Amino acid sequence: MDLNAKIPDGPIEGKWDRHRFEMKLVNPANKRKYNILVVGTGLAGASAAASLAELGYNVDCFCFQDSPRRAHSIAAQGGINAAKNYQNDGDSIYRLFYDTVKGGDFRAREANVYRLAQISVNIIDQCVAQGVPFAREYGGLLANRSFGGAQVSRTFYARGQTGQQLLLGAYQALERQIGLGKVKMYPRHEMLDLVVIDGVARGIITRNLVTGETRGWVGDAVVLATGGYGNVFYLSTNAKGSNVTASYRAHKRGAGFANPCFTQIHPTCIPVSGDYQSKLTLMSESLRNDGRVWVPKQKGDARRPDQIPEDERDYYLERRYPSFGNLVPRDVASRAAKAVCDEGRGVGPSKMAVFLDFGDAVRRLGQNVVADRYGNLFEMYERITGEDPYKTPMRIFPAVHYTMGGLWVDYDLMSTIPGLHVLGEANFSDHGANRLGASALMQGLADGYFIIPYTIGNYLAQAKLPKIGVEHPEVQRCLASVQAQSSRLLNIKGRTTVDEFHRELGLVMWDYCGMGRTADGLKIALQKIPEIRSRFWSDVAVPGVNEELNPWLEKAGRVADFLEFGELMCLDALERNESCGGHFREEYQSPDGEALRDDANYSYAAVWEYTGEGSAPRLHKEPLEFKNVKLATRSYA
């Protein structure tokens, strides 16, 4: 497995500009000779498909939702970062770059992160031109707010629905190209395999989720923008359909999977309320601008929050991290919340929650101002919990939210399989071991609007790609393999539902590979997961047939992949004998409970190669070099 990141030479400030000049080009008349397959229509996929079609390429675009605008990007709430420095508060491209590398606990590739910070300023202009209704100040200028891990206000937002508004902008650009005939859109199609011919990605296999038809598609390049794998934990803030299948099946065809154990636990989510739940609900990080996090100082204090005097409250983030206060990065805030609950100071019926209190903000700003900033989030919270956050503090607790790991890509966003490009949360490239808030939307749009239109042309201009059709033997072999797996699942006719297996796997992952991990716990998980997988393949109940709408079959295929991928996650977490960002090995922590990195031995991206069913995956390492930031212990105190 070749891990040549292809990072351009020269000063980091000029790498991307120089690289764009040195790239090979496809002239406009030749672009229409190429066909590109784009899988996924979130911010990364929709922006990529629209941009590539605008350039003249022919694009086939696929999503498993009934509409491109139902992609999970629509659920993002708080905002999108950009180094515009509109507030004149000391922001810059370098500061955004530094904050992102530091926030990721120095486990990201410098060159990719710097490019992301550079491009961030263009994203806002692009989205404003599309009509995205960003919040504005009284005079009409774009407004900003703060997010975790930064001491400047660089986050642009549209109340608590920024992802929805950004996705509508990308969706409009995509629909324009569909109307012009440059994009052919295939909703309700799920990618179930990658076609690799002579070592090059040339197509995909999909299943029509309405009719059950399984068929192959071929093209000159494949772009995966299929999101993250947080649903391996069963309970997460992700949409229930979010899954690892497209990425994992590409991995099984030869794409390296990087840092799968790097998962993000978001500190502000509505706590679990019972075994009946199928997902969790995010409360935006933006709430920590004005909300104050606290718990009672006394263990087991069951009084209502309004009955607990100020001097008996522990605003523990403000106490432990005075420089950043409630806006520390997500991994830090999540571990701190878990720590106070483990001490017996949690609140609510489960005692596994902390308060997020807006009393001071309402008194200082007035309820109308707070409502203008967070009204839809407060309404959502009240609908779910029956409590009015204007009058009583929210109860929050960490939950799985995002995955920093993903398919390995080089500087051009191409995986270890030539021709397979990976964008957004599906790749590993920008966030290291912990993503800062409001950076996911930034990465998705940077990859789709501003990077892949250049780099895919560079690939196509140099690739020797013979013409092939869906009748090619390798396409037919992959098609038969997908059909065989569907038949196998349908013919098990067991007694245990897919959801029961998924929930059981999720509990194992949360208990042993969640917020806190130990070598002993991970070894237990590595014993339990194969046992669950064995029972799944002998006792799962998948009713219905293939040739119809069959959500049980869809879920069964996704959970089958989670049952393999979860084992890879635990293996990666066991191999990385350090704590960094969201990967917290309890054996490796400082006396005050902070993550303890081992830069001498683990300053690399761990890239796993699939070696076949029943064989142990092979670990490869991409060393990470830090020439523009100084490696240091993260401090937010």
Side-chain angles (χ1 to χ4, degrees):
M1 182 173 283
D2 180 17
L3 295 183
N4 179 8
K6 301 177 184 175
I7 299 171
D9 295 328
I12 197 167
E13 297 84 0
K15 286 182 185 294
W16 178 233
D17 289 338
R18 185 180 309 104
H19 188 52
R20 284 189 297 172
F21 174 73
E22 293 173 351
M23 286 181 187
K24 303 296 183 183
L25 301 177
V26 178
N27 84 54
N30 285 339
K31 286 188 174 77
R32 57 179 172 265
K33 299 177 182 178
Y34 291 101
N35 192 61
I36 300 170
L37 309 180
V38 177
V39 186
T41 56
L43 288 178
S47 60
S51 300
L52 293 170
E54 185 79 41
L55 286 171
Y57 297 106
N58 300 304
V59 178
D60 290 334
C61 190
F62 306 84
C63 69
F64 64 72
Q65 297 90 352
D66 56 0
S67 166
R69 62 194 176 103
R70 291 180 70 92
H72 186 56
S73 297
I74 204 168
Q77 296 172 354
I80 178 171
N81 288 329
K84 285 287 197 179
N85 195 32
Y86 283 168
Q87 304 302 315
N88 198 30
D89 57 358
D91 201 10
S92 64
I93 289 171
Y94 184 86
R95 187 176 294 279
L96 175 53
F97 159 67
Y98 177 79
D99 286 347
T100 304
V101 172
K102 177 185 174 184
D105 218 352
F106 301 92
R107 289 293 176 265
R109 191 189 288 153
E110 274 193 342
N112 289 59
V113 179
Y114 194 89
R115 175 177 63 186
L116 177 64
Q118 282 180 296
I119 291 172
S120 71
V121 299
N122 303 117
I123 296 171
I124 303 303
D125 297 338
Q126 166 87 357
C127 295
V128 168
Q130 289 176 330
V132 173
F134 286 123
R136 293 178 181 268
E137 297 172 348
Y138 180 78
L141 300 177
L142 292 174
N144 294 110
R145 58 188 176 199
S146 299
F147 255 64
Q151 292 180 304
V152 296
S153 294
R154 63 164 68 102
T155 304
F156 296 78
Y157 63 98
R159 294 189 76 187
Q161 50 185 241
T162 313
Q164 179 180 10
Q165 299 304 325
L166 292 172
L167 186 59
L168 287 172
Y171 170 71
Q172 290 170 172
L174 174 62
E175 286 295 314
R176 177 173 178 270
Q177 296 303 320
I178 293 171
L180 292 171
K182 293 302 294 180
V183 174
K184 294 180 181 177
M185 187 69 227
Y186 299 94
R188 303 297 283 150
H189 281 66
E190 180 170 24
M191 174 183 157
L192 296 179
D193 208 349
L194 177 73
V195 179
V196 180
I197 299 174
D198 297 328
V200 177
R202 294 300 307 271
I204 61 173
I205 307 296
T206 66
R207 179 176 180 271
N208 183 316
L209 300 183
V210 177
T211 67
E213 179 192 15
T214 308
R215 61 162 292 185
W217 308 80
V218 296
D220 299 295
V222 177
V223 176
L224 284 192
T226 51
Y229 47 86
N231 276 347
V232 70
F233 292 92
Y234 186 72
L235 286 179
S236 81
T237 65
N238 290 179
K240 285 300 292 178
S242 299
N243 63 81
V244 76
T245 290
S247 294
Y248 189 68
R249 297 194 183 181
H251 170 60
K252 293 176 78 170
R253 292 295 181 191
F257 212 109
N259 303 330
C261 77
F262 286 175
T263 54
Q264 179 163 90
I265 313 295
H266 197 295
T268 52
C269 303
I270 297 178
V272 176
S273 58
D275 292 338
Y276 56 84
Q277 280 185 272
S278 61
K279 75 177 303 294
L280 298 173
T281 303
L282 173 72
M283 286 285 103
S284 170
E285 181 169 318
S286 63
L287 294 171
R288 290 194 277 144
N289 274 275
D290 292 307
R292 301 179 70 192
V293 180
W294 65 275
V295 292
K297 289 183 177 179
Q298 297 299 319
K299 295 181 181 180
D301 192 333
R303 289 176 292 175
R304 296 200 317 263
D306 60 338
Q307 295 178 333
I308 302 176
E310 192 74 14
D311 61 357
E312 295 182 31
R313 301 179 178 188
D314 180 13
Y315 294 90
Y316 58 89
L317 291 177
E318 297 173 26
R319 171 175 55 82
R320 292 183 60 180
Y321 310 103
S323 295
F324 285 74
N326 294 294
L327 286 173
V328 291
R330 292 173 177 178
D331 61 316
V332 176
S334 294
R335 283 196 295 273
K338 180 178 183 295
V340 295
C341 290
D342 289 347
E343 292 171 5
R345 296 194 287 146
V347 302
S350 68
K351 302 301 180 186
M352 294 300 289
V354 299
F355 288 129
L356 181 60
D357 194 337
F358 292 88
D360 284 353
V362 170
R363 287 187 290 273
R364 184 179 76 252
L365 303 169
Q367 183 169 322
N368 289 340
V369 173
V370 174
D372 285 342
R373 294 178 180 179
Y374 313 115
N376 64 312
L377 299 171
F378 279 37
E379 179 184 356
M380 181 166 61
Y381 181 87
E382 184 172 8
R383 285 185 179 184
I384 292 171
T385 67
E387 299 174 359
D388 183 355
Y390 293 107
K391 298 177 181 177
T392 187
M394 289 183 177
R395 288 176 290 109
I396 58 167
F397 193 70
V400 175
H401 177 61
Y402 186 88
T403 53
M404 286 73 66
L407 293 179
W408 183 91
V409 292
D410 62 17
Y411 191 71
D412 287 348
L413 304 184
M414 190 158 70
S415 73
T416 54
I417 302 175
L420 176 64
H421 298 76
V422 189
L423 314 186
E425 189 178 357
N427 76 32
F428 90 109
S429 66
D430 292 344
H431 306 297
N434 175 67
R435 177 176 66 78
L436 291 184
S439 289
L441 307 185
M442 174 174 64
Q443 185 206 351
L445 293 180
D447 289 355
Y449 281 136
F450 296 105
I451 299 176
I452 197 65
Y454 289 98
T455 61
I456 207 166
N458 184 48
Y459 165 73
L460 293 171
Q462 301 176 76
K464 306 298 182 183
L465 300 171
K467 291 293 181 183
I468 61 168
V470 293
E471 70 282 352
H472 190 281
E474 186 59 25
V475 178
Q476 294 301 309
R477 191 181 74 80
C478 292
L479 182 60
S481 174
V482 168
Q483 292 169 337
Q485 174 160 328
S486 295
S487 297
R488 182 183 176 192
L489 288 166
L490 289 164
N491 288 328
I492 294 171
K493 301 189 184 304
R495 295 170 298 176
T496 307
T497 66
V498 175
D499 282 345
E500 288 178 84
F501 282 112
H502 194 181
R503 187 187 299 273
E504 186 178 359
L505 171 66
L507 284 172
V508 170
M509 296 301 297
W510 179 253
D511 288 344
Y512 301 112
C513 197
M515 262 196 289
R517 304 160 179 185
T518 65
D520 289 342
L522 290 164
K523 289 174 183 175
I524 292 172
L526 289 168
Q527 292 174 344
K528 286 178 175 285
I529 295 171
E531 187 271 328
I532 300 171
R533 186 167 64 241
S534 176
R535 284 191 285 109
F536 173 89
W537 283 107
S538 63
D539 192 43
V540 70
V542 185
V545 297
N546 181 68
E547 291 76 22
E548 64 180 10
L549 177 68
N550 190 338
W552 299 279
L553 180 59
E554 297 169 29
K555 288 197 289 185
R558 296 166 189 169
V559 172
D561 291 326
F562 279 140
L563 284 165
E564 293 184 25
F565 180 72
E567 190 172 356
L568 181 64
M569 284 178 63
C570 293
L571 186 63
D572 186 44
L574 181 62
E575 189 280 336
R576 188 172 283 275
N577 294 306
E578 65 163 354
S579 290
C580 56
H583 169 63
F584 191 72
R585 283 281 298 272
E586 294 176 2
E587 310 98 310
Y588 307 102
Q589 57 182 301
S590 65
D592 54 354
E594 302 294 345
L596 196 61
R597 293 198 322 268
D598 180 355
D599 294 330
N601 296 303
Y602 292 97
S603 187
Y604 60 76
V607 186
W608 295 90
E609 178 184 2
Y610 182 77
T611 59
E613 187 174 351
S615 299
R618 184 176 296 118
L619 174 62
H620 302 264
K621 301 175 182 178
E622 181 202 341
L624 298 174
E625 298 181 357
F626 295 93
K627 300 178 180 178
N628 298 276
V629 297
K630 182 181 178 181
L631 276 170
T633 300
R634 285 194 308 172
S635 174
Y636 294 96

